[in-house]
Amino acid sequence: MTVTATQRLPWHDKYNEPDFEELRAHYTNPQALALLDQARARLQKFDGIEEQLTWQGMPWRWCLAYTKEGDPTAALAFLVPDPERASIACPLIPDMLRSMPAHRCKKHLKDVLLLANLVDGVYWPTFELTSKAQTEDVLDLIRRKFDFVIGKAKVREDS
């Protein structure tokens, strides 16, 4: 009997912490890799943000968590470097959603926000990165959350 060992992608291997370059190395689609890099570069620019590679279990596995002191959610955002389809999750509490002007939110963002799972008082919208413009829209949503966390955004009372 022959046993063939299959090599696991670093993204799948819970027991061996990769570095980000190892995760990037398995992207075969240059556009998807560019979107991942675009998102990471923008997230790193937020003032006072800490980036940490962390195992989050299934289905996210290894991902980058961006945390900010004072954020009432698990993280400002999670960048999920799935080699098949990178995504960003942006946990939001109801007050954060109320602080965002709905009329300025694009339809594709609203759709994901409306379908987001609510777990213990936190909404978990997850956005697959599909284009440069869509990625910028998601990053703008995260910037609005950041503004809320640092006290720049106010909750609208009419919501």
Side-chain angles (χ1 to χ4, degrees), residues 13 28 35 39 57 66 72 81 106 112 119 126 138 143 148 150-151 159:
D13 190 349
T28 56
L35 295 174
Y66 294 88
K106 298 199 174 162
V112 173
V119 179
T126 303
V138 172
R143 184 197 51 79
F148 179 91
I150 64 170
S159 298

Side-chain angles (χ1 to χ4, degrees), residues 3 24-25 35 58 63 118:
V3 177
R24 284 180 85 255
L35 295 174
M58 297 294 280
C63 61
L118 178 64

Side-chain angles (χ1 to χ4, degrees), residues 78 104 106 114 118 135:
F78 292 92
R104 293 188 57 197
K106 298 199 174 162
L114 288 171
L118 178 64
T135 300

Side-chain angles (χ1 to χ4, degrees), residues 1-152:
M1 181 169 118
T2 304
V3 177
T4 308
T6 57
Q7 184 166 352
R8 296 175 62 142
L9 293 176
W11 188 68
H12 291 110
D13 190 349
K14 173 182 181 176
Y15 300 104
N16 294 300
E17 183 175 345
D19 62 28
F20 188 70
E21 289 308 312
E22 289 175 284
L23 296 173
R24 284 180 85 255
H26 293 279
Y27 274 76
T28 56
N29 180 331
Q31 179 187 1
L33 181 58
L35 295 174
L36 178 73
D37 289 342
Q38 169 192 358
R40 183 177 187 217
R42 281 276 308 278
L43 289 166
Q44 289 174 329
K45 289 182 181 178
F46 286 101
D47 188 39
I49 289 294
E50 182 178 325
E51 178 187 77
Q52 180 182 11
L53 185 62
T54 178
W55 178 261
Q56 292 295 315
M58 297 294 280
W60 291 354
R61 298 178 173 94
W62 288 106
C63 61
L64 294 172
Y66 294 88
T67 57
K68 172 73 177 161
E69 189 174 322
D71 186 351
T73 65
L76 185 70
F78 292 92
L79 181 58
V80 184
D82 180 341
E84 299 296 320
R85 59 192 172 286
S87 60
I88 296 178
C90 178
L92 300 163
I93 61 173
D95 281 349
M96 289 173 177
L97 285 170
R98 284 191 290 273
S99 75
M100 298 178 189
H103 68 279
R104 293 188 57 197
C105 194
K106 298 199 174 162
K107 183 181 180 336
H108 66 93
L109 295 178
K110 284 181 190 177
D111 291 346
V112 173
L113 291 170
L114 288 171
L115 296 173
N117 290 327
L118 178 64
V119 179
D120 198 23
V122 178
Y123 290 97
W124 287 86
T126 303
F127 304 89
E128 188 173 325
L129 304 181
T130 58
S131 71
K132 186 174 181 174
Q134 179 263 2
T135 300
E136 285 298 321
D137 292 341
V138 172
L139 292 165
D140 184 57
L141 176 78
I142 295 168
R143 184 197 51 79
R144 292 175 191 277
K145 176 183 177 181
F146 178 82
D147 288 348
F148 179 91
V149 170
I150 64 170
K152 279 183 153 180

